[in-house]
Amino acid sequence: MPSPPALAPSTVPDPMAAPRVRWGVLGPGGIANTFAEAVRAGTRSEVVAVGSRSAERADAFARRHGVTRSYGSYEELVADEDVDVVYVASPHSEHREHALLAVAAGRHVLVEKAFARSLRETDEVLDAARAAGVLAAEAMWSRYLPQYDVVRRTVAEGTLGDVALVQADHGQLLWPDGPRRLWDPALAGGSLLDLGVYPIHFAHHVLGGLEDVAALGVLTPEGVDATLGVTARRGGALARMTSTMAAATPCAALVAGSAARVELTGPGWFYGAATTVRLVEPGGSVVDTFAPEHPEHGFRYQVAEVARAVAEGRHEPWSVPWTATRAVMTVMDEVRRQVGVTYPGE
C-alpha cells in the first residue's frame, strides 16, 4: 500500500544558531518594537542603537528594549561604528532615502516591506548596495518562516501534482479611520504597499514568477487604492490576490493542484509565525500538518538569516533574493498603472 502524501520538512535553521550581529533601528515605530523583541528573545544578536527624528522617542524606545545608545537623528545612527546592520523601519514612503543613507555609511540594511515605492527606487538602493559591497534585504518576514519553506518545497517536490490555483488575501479595517500614511497619496498610501505586498509575495514565492498581470481597484476620494483584486499567471497556474484596507477578510492562503492542496490557516497567514500548514487531499481529508514548535517572535527568522548572510559575505538573503524583491515590485508598479494610482515624482 503506497504511503500517504506528506508535506516536505522545513530546512530553516534554528535562529539561535545564527551568528551575532549588532543592529541599529532606524525609526522606532510599532513594527520596530516587534523587531527588537524578536532580536532579544529569539536570536543571539543585539540591538545596540536606535535613531529617530525625535530624541525623546529614541530614548523611550531604548529604555523599553534595553538599548544602550539612542540618537535624535538618522545620520548619527548610521554613523555609529558599532552598528553592523541598519533595520529601516520608517514608513515605506521614506525607505529609499533611509536605505541609501545607511548604505552610504557602509552599513548593511534590512528594509521593511514594501522595499520602496517603485522598481526605480528599488533599483537605486540595490545598485548602491552592490557598489558599496553591503547586504540589502527586504524584510518580507513571512518569506523567512519555516512554513513558507515547507509550502515552497512541497510544491517543488510535486506533491500537489500540477498546480492550478494560488489564492491569497489580506484585508484589515484600517480606513477611513486609520493612520494618515494609508490614505495620503503623498505618503504612498493605499492597501497595495502595506497589505497587498503579502499575497503578491506569497504567489511569487510559490510559483517563482508572475506573468500577464491584470488588476482592478476601488480608489478612495484621495486617489489611493482602498481595495485591489489582482490576477496573474505562471505556466498552467492562475494566481488570485486581493487586498483591502476597507474591511477585515479571512486572510487565508492556499495552493491547489491536481493531486492535493496546501492551506495556510491560523490568526492570519501573513502573521505566519503561528500559522499551520495543512496538506489536504481532493476529497477533503487532511493528511499532514506542519506547525512551528515555537511560534513566538516570528521576526527572528529574518534576523537570523541576515546574520548568516553577513557572516558569509553575501549581499542578499536566500529567502528574499534581489530578483524576488524586483519581481514583486514590478508587479506592484503594473497594478498601480492599471488602476491609476501614482506616487509623488511619477
Side-chain angles (χ1 to χ4, degrees), residues 1-212:
M1 185 174 182
S3 300
L7 294 166
S10 169
T11 61
V12 176
D14 180 356
M16 292 301 293
R20 175 182 179 269
V21 298
R22 300 166 299 179
W23 290 87
V25 171
L26 190 157
I31 201 165
N33 286 292
T34 301
F35 179 86
E37 291 165 5
V39 172
R40 183 181 67 248
T43 75
R44 294 164 55 199
S45 292
E46 181 184 4
V47 177
V48 299
V50 57
S52 171
R53 292 192 179 108
S54 164
E56 291 76 17
R57 289 189 68 207
D59 182 63
F61 183 94
R63 285 186 281 105
R64 176 176 180 178
H65 296 288
V67 178
T68 56
R69 294 187 299 284
S70 65
Y71 299 108
S73 74
Y74 300 140
E75 290 78 9
E76 290 176 285
L77 172 71
V78 302
D80 189 326
E81 293 292 341
D82 286 334
V83 171
D84 299 314
V85 191
V86 172
Y87 171 57
V88 177
S90 52
H92 47 239
S93 57
E94 300 180 73
H95 285 177
R96 169 195 168 275
E97 175 188 347
H98 295 156
L100 289 174
L101 182 70
V103 168
R107 307 290 171 242
H108 305 291
V109 288
L110 175 65
V111 184
E112 255 308 322
K113 56 79 190 164
F115 190 81
R117 292 180 294 186
S118 65
L119 180 62
R120 178 181 59 80
E121 291 189 349
T122 296
D123 282 342
E124 284 187 71
V125 175
L126 297 182
D127 288 346
R130 183 183 295 108
V134 299
L135 174 140
E138 182 177 6
M140 175 45 65
W141 74 282
S142 51
R143 283 189 71 144
Y144 297 85
L145 293 169
Q147 293 92 322
Y148 272 48
D149 183 51
V150 167
V151 171
R152 180 189 59 80
R153 296 183 67 242
T154 299
V155 171
E157 291 178 3
T159 304
L160 306 187
D162 296 325
V163 173
L165 184 65
V166 177
Q167 291 186 167
D169 78 282
H170 188 173
Q172 297 187 49
L173 186 54
L174 300 171
W175 176 84
D177 298 322
R180 177 190 171 198
R181 67 178 180 82
L182 290 177
W183 58 260
D184 190 344
L187 299 178
S191 73
L192 179 62
L193 296 190
D194 203 71
L195 307 177
V197 64
Y198 283 94
I200 294 172
H201 255 294
F202 177 76
H204 179 274
H205 177 73
V206 170
L207 297 178
L210 297 172
E211 305 161 350
D212 302 328

Side-chain angles (χ1 to χ4, degrees), residues 21 84-85 108 135 305-314:
V21 298
D84 299 314
V85 191
H108 305 291
L135 174 140
E305 186 164 337
V306 166
R308 289 192 294 270
V310 168
E312 295 164 9
R314 289 187 280 115

